[in-house]
Amino acid sequence: MALLLGFLLLLLELCGNTLSLGSRSSTEGTEVLELELPATNYETKDSYKAGPIGGLFQIVHIFLRVVQPNDFPEDILRKILQKKFDLSTDYEKPENVVLTLKIIYYEIGVIICAVLGLLFVILMPLVGFCFGLCRCCNKCGGEMHQRQKKNGPFLRKCFAVSLLVISIFISIGIIYGFVANHHLRAQIEKTRKLADSNFRDLRTLLNGAPAEISYILSQYTTTKEKAFSDLDNVKSLLGGGIHEQLRPKVIPALDDIKAMAEAIKETKEALLNVNNTLKELKKSSAQLNTSLSDVKRDLEQSLNDPMCSVPPVATTCNNIRTSLSQLDDNTNMDQLPSLDKPIDKINDILQTNLSSLVQQGYKSFNDIPEMVKNQTTDIISALPYVKSTLNSIGSDIESIGEQIPIQDQLSNFMGYINDTETYIRRNLPTLEEYDSYRWLGGLVVCCLLTLVVIFYYLGLLCGTCGYDRNATPTRRGCISNTGGIFLMVGAGVSFLICWILMTIVVLTFVVGANVEKLLCEPYQNRKLFQVLDTPYLLNENWKHYLSGMVFNKPDINLTFEQVYSDCKENKGIYGTLKLENSYNISEHLNIQEHAGNISNDFQNMKVNIDNIVLLDEAGRKNLMDFSFSGIDAINYNIYLAELSKAPTKANLLSFADDLEVKANHLPHGSLKQSLKNNAQTIRTIHRSEVIPLEQSMKYGKARSSVYQSIKELQQKSSGLGMKVTNTLSSLDSAQDFLTTRISSVIVEESQKYGNTIVGYFERYLQWVKISITEKIAACKPVATALDSAVDVFLCSYIIDPMNLFWFGIGKATVFLLPALIFAVKLAKYYRRMDSEDVYEDMENGNIGFHRHHSTQTV
């Protein structure tokens, strides 16, 4: 308990010495500046594991929970600390009597075990003394005469097995003792390393805090440079913001006009292509009509031959004459209207370069950032609260660092740490020296027990191996007799040392059990802190002792448990000790007044963005002329219909083949030859004139380029007036938006721009505040040092091995009592007797007992 209070005072010393620091902690960086404190690494582990021996420690803990199952006596400890329990003054006071009964009730398990141990210590020497006197008088089994019993072999085996089992239990206890004794020595040897590690971590904490504060203050330069950079980059930030706000409304309107300008050019190209193709088609169609007329005339002249009047040639001639109507032209290209007038109108429209006018609109809109830059450069440099305010904030930040007397306070605490370390280093050799004596004493105790159990093992070994069941008690062998002597020596040594061992066990048990139950366990479950945090406990005038020590304000709710928990979580001293009650960092990091002035300055900036014309009147007239150009009134269907027709009424190849077949049926002569020549002419016309004409038209499954062009023209001109109207409406809407809303957009973006500048410092100051209140001087080394002193050094290094030691030695010592009883009983069956009972019929192998004869053997 004293050690724990000493380390709590160490924590209080740290609290008191860091009080005037006012603020220290770290936080994570902002999204923009990514501010973050450098990580601090500590040597000492925040947890301790005993290793394989930890299982043995748990066995002892279970035993102690059985012996001492009561909860931690918080009320009793509070009254003791409040000095309301003093037996030296008024023992008979009712409250003292009640408290005494509560203490007895809590300690009843330990008291019973201690009383039993003391009885063992008192009675065992007496019993041993009486047993020795009794044996000297040939009583209590001291007579060297063994009376034969019917169940003698069974008893011998039973005694041997029982002694062997008990010896094994004693051996296990001895092993526990050896292991605990060695482990305690090994852990004491680690104490120096543990102490050095904790002191280095505390120095790292104390030395790192000023560097962390300096680092935080130095980050203001980075923040200020970022803000000044944004002030100098007003073109892309403010102008670009205004531009981006207007873009969704303006750019689509300009894109529509640009698309319309491209559509005018594409319409002209399509009209020219269609018009030129139609002229070629008309020419080709006229040529085909002439060629067909010539062939038709030749055929009519051939059919006037006299042979056509002679049957059956007359029938063939009449059939041919009837089919001549199939040689007519099937199209009427000459009736298709010319596209020269729409083309002329489009040419007139293209006299105005609409694309150039649109590019001027784009340029006028994209020049907004440059216009903002030109108008705000002088304004920003003349703002009264911007750069000067930002510089003044930097001065305030630096003054906060100067107002915190870190070095002086930390140097005082560093001196306290140095003195503590010097004290530990000076006394640690003494501790190690005393531990060497303790280790030697523990080794002697374990060796004495080992000696006893070795006697028992040797007695069992010699007695069992040397025992001859056919030998009489007076004729037993030397080995068997030696085994019996070993057993009696073991029993005698047990009487000599068991009371000494039990004395050691009782003392270590009382100390170790109480320290484990009253300090180690409540420290681990933090009930001890809850007791210390009881109002008015450590000082009857202070509600909260810790806040009274730190602030001299005992009404502030600052508890040991909260401080310890926060330090375990590696929180900063400022937030852990609630130092805002002494030095409120928030009051010194307030930027709201300055931020309001800066924001107002940016909102009052005069930025005029006018004379932005997306499309002038010439461009508007150009669009209107295009809508009235008449291309949407052209009847494209008649063109498509003519292009869909076949060039001729009949297939000329089929007609020529049929004509040639009919000619072949005629008699040889000029008529037959003439018809064949005309058939060949028709094939030539089809090959040279019809096929090219078909390729230029839509005929069949083919889709000619002119046909596609006409279809595209039809689609583009469909609803042309409505398209132009919508485009102009969108343009008017965008132009009106620029005229009426641009001022509000400028104000909004100016405010946003100002908030961005101020936001850097707000985020920086917020980071500074969080850093100082949560991160700087993170007190985990303090909690780790306390854990190292109480949980690791006292409980894990000392108490756990000590408890395991008395548990093992006590177990072995307790089992010495039944062991010596069985050893004495068993020795009778191994030792050579001075007299024996008389046996009869031994020669017949009868080992029974007919009569009892007692014969004194000399």
Side-chain angles (χ1 to χ4, degrees):
M1 180 66 68
L3 185 61
L4 172 62
L5 292 177
F7 272 88
L8 291 175
L9 291 175
L10 173 65
L11 178 62
L12 287 175
E13 182 71 18
L14 177 62
C15 299
N17 282 279
T18 54
L19 170 62
S20 60
L21 301 184
S23 58
R24 328 195 284 208
S25 202
S26 114
T27 187
E28 297 179 355
T30 63
E31 294 180 2
V32 176
L33 299 175
E34 297 182 355
L35 300 170
E36 187 174 0
L37 280 174
T40 302
N41 297 320
Y42 297 111
E43 297 182 22
T44 310
K45 295 180 180 180
D46 56 357
S47 62
Y48 170 77
K49 294 182 179 179
I53 199 175
L56 300 180
F57 294 159
Q58 291 300 320
I59 295 175
V60 180
H61 292 167
I62 293 173
F63 175 78
L64 288 177
R65 280 195 288 272
V66 173
V67 173
Q68 179 61 287
N70 300 317
D71 294 333
F72 180 63
E74 299 180 22
D75 294 337
I76 297 175
L77 187 59
R78 289 189 181 97
K79 290 183 179 180
I80 292 176
L81 291 177
Q82 288 175 338
K83 298 181 181 180
K84 293 182 178 180
F85 178 64
D86 189 359
L87 294 177
S88 62
T89 55
D90 286 320
Y91 172 76
E92 296 182 355
K93 280 187 177 181
E95 56 271 19
N96 286 346
V97 174
V98 171
L99 190 59
T100 303
L101 293 176
K102 287 183 178 180
I103 294 174
I104 294 174
Y105 175 77
Y106 174 78
E107 293 282 348
I108 188 64
V110 176
I111 292 174
I112 291 174
C113 291
V115 169
L116 292 176
L118 292 176
L119 288 176
F120 189 95
V121 171
I122 295 172
L123 295 178
M124 283 303 292
L126 294 177
V127 171
F129 179 74
C130 295
F131 180 75
L133 290 179
C134 185
R135 296 278 293 186
C136 292
C137 298
N138 289 331
K139 304 294 184 182
C140 303
E143 182 184 7
M144 297 301 290
H145 176 83
Q146 183 179 9
R147 286 175 172 77
Q148 300 300 324
K149 297 180 181 179
K150 190 174 183 178
N151 60 349
F154 172 77
L155 290 176
R156 175 177 53 79
K157 294 177 182 178
C158 183
F159 291 153
V161 171
S162 298
L163 181 60
L164 177 63
V165 172
I166 293 173
S167 298
I168 292 174
F169 282 123
I170 295 175
S171 300
I172 294 174
I174 295 171
I175 293 173
Y176 286 179
F178 274 115
V179 170
N181 193 50
H182 173 74
H183 183 78
L184 179 55
R185 180 175 177 82
Q187 300 307 100
I188 292 296
E189 291 175 352
K190 295 180 181 179
T191 303
R192 185 184 302 274
K193 181 179 179 181
L194 178 66
D196 291 344
S197 174
N198 278 279
F199 283 118
R200 281 193 295 268
D201 288 345
L202 289 173
R203 286 194 178 89
T204 300
L205 165 64
L206 299 179
N207 294 331
E212 289 175 337
I213 293 179
S214 300
Y215 176 82
I216 289 178
L217 299 180
S218 67
Q219 292 304 300
Y220 178 79
T221 303
T222 303
T223 305
K224 184 173 68 174
E225 289 176 354
K226 176 64 177 174
F228 286 1
S229 175
D230 286 357
L231 287 173
D232 297 334
N233 198 20
V234 66
K235 174 182 177 180
S236 61
L237 294 178
L238 179 56
I242 296 172
H243 184 267
E244 289 300 319
Q245 282 275 33
L246 300 175
R247 173 184 285 275
K249 191 70 176 178
V250 173
I251 294 300
L254 292 176
D255 290 342
D256 289 343
I257 300 173
K258 182 179 179 181
M260 194 63 69
E262 295 295 329
I264 295 174
K265 293 180 181 179
E266 292 173 357
T267 300
K268 175 190 174 182
E269 293 175 358
L271 287 173
L272 287 174
N273 180 37
V274 171
N275 196 35
N276 293 332
T277 303
L278 287 176
K279 289 179 180 180
E280 294 294 330
L281 290 176
K282 288 178 180 180
K283 183 178 179 181
S284 299
S285 178
Q287 180 64 35
L288 176 60
N289 190 25
T290 301
S291 298
L292 292 176
S293 297
D294 293 342
V295 171
K296 185 177 181 181
R297 186 172 54 254
D298 289 344
L299 285 171
E300 288 176 348
Q301 291 177 0
S302 298
L303 293 175
N304 290 330
D305 190 280
M307 288 188 67
C308 286
S309 59
V310 179
V313 177
T315 302
T316 301
C317 290
N318 289 332
N319 290 335
I320 294 173
R321 190 178 291 110
T322 302
S323 64
L324 290 178
S325 61
Q326 297 180 9
L327 294 177
D328 292 336
D329 186 7
N330 191 38
T331 61
N332 192 8
M333 294 291 182
D334 292 336
Q335 295 181 358
L336 294 177
S338 175
L339 298 176
D340 291 338
K341 289 184 179 180
I343 291 174
D344 292 338
K345 290 183 178 180
I346 294 296
N347 286 330
D348 292 340
I349 293 172
L350 289 175
Q351 293 298 319
T352 300
N353 191 345
L354 183 60
S355 297
S356 176
L357 297 178
V358 173
Q359 291 301 322
Q360 291 180 5
Y362 277 118
K363 184 178 183 302
S364 179
F365 178 69
N366 292 330
D367 285 343
I368 289 178
E370 189 66 29
M371 296 170 61
V372 171
K373 177 183 178 182
N374 294 334
Q375 295 186 42
T376 57
T377 300
D378 296 336
I379 297 175
I380 289 179
S381 61
L383 286 176
Y385 288 104
V386 180
K387 292 188 176 182
S388 60
T389 299
L390 301 183
N391 286 321
S392 66
I393 294 175
S395 301
D396 294 340
I397 296 293
E398 293 177 358
S399 65
I400 291 175
E402 295 175 356
Q403 293 172 5
I404 303 176
I406 295 176
Q407 295 295 342
D408 295 339
Q409 300 298 330
L410 292 185
S411 61
N412 294 334
F413 187 68
M414 183 64 75
Y416 180 80
I417 292 293
N418 292 333
D419 293 342
T420 305
E421 184 178 17
T422 301
Y423 175 81
I424 291 176
R425 287 182 178 276
R426 184 173 60 249
N427 292 278
L428 192 58
T430 304
L431 174 64
E432 293 175 346
E433 181 182 0
Y434 288 160
D435 182 69
S436 64
Y437 299 148
R438 179 214 56 78
W439 174 82
L440 183 59
L443 191 62
V444 170
V445 169
C446 293
C447 289
L448 288 175
L449 281 170
T450 304
L451 180 63
V452 173
V453 80
I454 287 175
F455 283 141
Y456 288 153
Y457 282 132
L458 290 175
L460 287 170
L461 179 63
C462 294
T464 303
C465 295
Y467 182 77
D468 184 1
R469 60 189 301 272
N470 294 318
T472 62
T474 58
R475 293 182 177 86
R476 286 174 181 153
C478 180
I479 297 177
S480 177
N481 185 58
T482 303
I485 294 174
F486 274 133
L487 293 178
M488 292 305 296
V489 171
V493 174
S494 296
F495 276 118
L496 292 175
I497 68 171
C498 63
W499 65 277
I500 300 175
L501 299 180
M502 186 55 69
T503 302
I504 297 173
V505 169
V506 171
L507 293 176
T508 54
F509 165 72
V510 172
V511 175
N514 281 289
V515 172
E516 174 67 27
K517 300 298 291 187
L518 294 176
L519 182 59
C520 296
E521 283 189 7
Y523 179 83
Q524 292 173 355
N525 57 32
R526 303 187 185 180
K527 288 185 178 180
L528 187 61
F529 292 108
Q530 296 174 8
V531 172
L532 296 177
D533 290 329
T534 302
Y536 307 106
L537 177 67
L538 301 178
N539 189 320
E540 61 183 9
N541 297 319
W542 288 354
K543 181 177 181 181
H544 298 289
Y545 183 77
L546 194 56
S547 60
M549 288 288 294
V550 176
F551 306 110
N552 200 22
K553 298 176 181 179
D555 292 332
I556 299 174
N557 187 16
L558 183 65
T559 63
F560 288 102
E561 183 179 14
Q562 173 254 312
V563 171
Y564 175 78
S565 299
D566 287 351
C567 287
K568 286 288 286 184
E569 296 173 5
N570 203 28
K571 294 183 179 180
I573 286 292
Y574 186 93
T576 299
L577 298 179
K578 299 182 179 180
L579 296 181
E580 66 273 7
N581 293 284
S582 176
Y583 186 90
N584 194 339
I585 193 66
S586 299
E587 296 177 357
H588 300 275
L589 295 176
N590 187 5
I591 195 178
Q592 295 303 320
E593 180 180 355
H594 300 308
N597 294 331
I598 295 175
S599 299
N600 292 332
D601 288 336
F602 279 105
Q603 291 179 18
N604 295 329
M605 285 194 309
K606 302 298 182 181
V607 180
N608 296 320
I609 302 177
D610 50 9
N611 299 324
I612 299 178
V613 178
L614 301 180
L615 188 67
D616 58 10
E617 290 301 325
R620 291 174 177 271
K621 182 178 181 301
N622 191 264
L623 288 174
M624 294 302 297
D625 291 342
F626 181 56
S627 65
F628 295 117
S629 62
I631 61 172
D632 56 339
I634 297 175
N635 189 358
Y636 295 100
N637 291 326
I638 62 174
Y639 294 94
L640 297 175
E642 288 299 322
L643 292 175
S644 300
K645 293 179 180 180
T648 58
K649 290 182 178 181
N651 190 314
L652 294 185
L653 289 178
S654 298
F655 186 88
D657 292 340
D658 184 63
L659 180 61
E660 189 171 4
V661 170
K662 290 178 180 179
N664 288 333
H665 290 86
L666 296 177
H668 291 284
S670 60
L671 178 60
K672 180 178 181 178
Q673 187 62 39
S674 177
L675 292 176
K676 285 190 174 184
N677 292 336
N678 284 318
Q680 187 63 33
T681 301
I682 291 172
R683 290 190 179 95
T684 301
I685 292 172
H686 180 270
R687 182 173 59 253
S688 61
E689 298 183 28
V690 174
I691 292 178
L693 190 59
E694 286 179 346
Q695 292 176 350
S696 299
M697 299 168 66
K698 184 234 176 190
Y699 180 68
K701 295 183 180 179
R703 298 284 180 172
S704 64
S705 60
V706 66
Y707 184 85
Q708 294 291 348
S709 297
I710 294 174
K711 290 292 289 184
E712 291 176 1
L713 281 171
Q714 188 179 27
Q715 293 175 358
K716 289 181 178 180
S717 62
S718 178
L720 178 61
M722 182 60 68
K723 292 178 181 179
V724 173
T725 301
N726 291 338
T727 300
L728 291 176
S729 176
S730 175
L731 175 65
D732 292 338
S733 176
Q735 189 68 57
D736 181 67
F737 182 81
L738 285 175
T739 304
T740 59
R741 293 290 307 280
I742 194 169
S743 58
S744 61
V745 171
I746 291 173
V747 172
E748 179 183 350
E749 288 300 316
S750 298
Q751 183 177 4
K752 187 184 298 184
Y753 177 63
N755 291 339
T756 300
I757 302 299
V758 176
Y760 293 139
F761 297 92
E762 290 179 339
R763 282 188 290 271
Y764 169 75
L765 294 179
Q766 182 67 19
W767 177 71
V768 171
K769 180 179 177 181
I770 295 175
S771 298
I772 291 176
T773 56
E774 295 182 8
K775 294 294 182 180
I776 291 183
C779 59
K780 187 173 184 178
V782 178
T784 303
L786 189 58
D787 288 342
S788 298
V790 179
D791 192 37
V792 178
F793 174 72
L794 179 61
C795 297
S796 297
Y797 281 9
I798 298 178
I799 297 301
D800 280 344
M802 185 175 74
N803 286 339
L804 180 61
F805 180 80
W806 65 249
F807 179 78
I809 299 302
K811 174 183 176 182
T813 305
V814 169
F815 277 107
L816 284 180
L817 180 60
L820 69 88
I821 294 174
F822 285 115
V824 171
K825 291 286 187 182
L826 185 60
K828 203 76 169 179
Y829 292 92
Y830 292 156
R831 295 178 67 190
R832 186 183 299 118
M833 298 289 103
D834 294 335
S835 63
E836 62 182 5
D837 288 345
V838 177
Y839 289 85
E840 292 184 357
D841 301 333
M842 288 296 293
E843 65 277 4
N844 296 324
N846 184 8
I847 60 173
F849 309 102
H850 295 284
R851 288 196 305 266
H852 235 30
H853 293 281
S854 179
T855 303
Q856 183 70 29
T857 303
V858 181

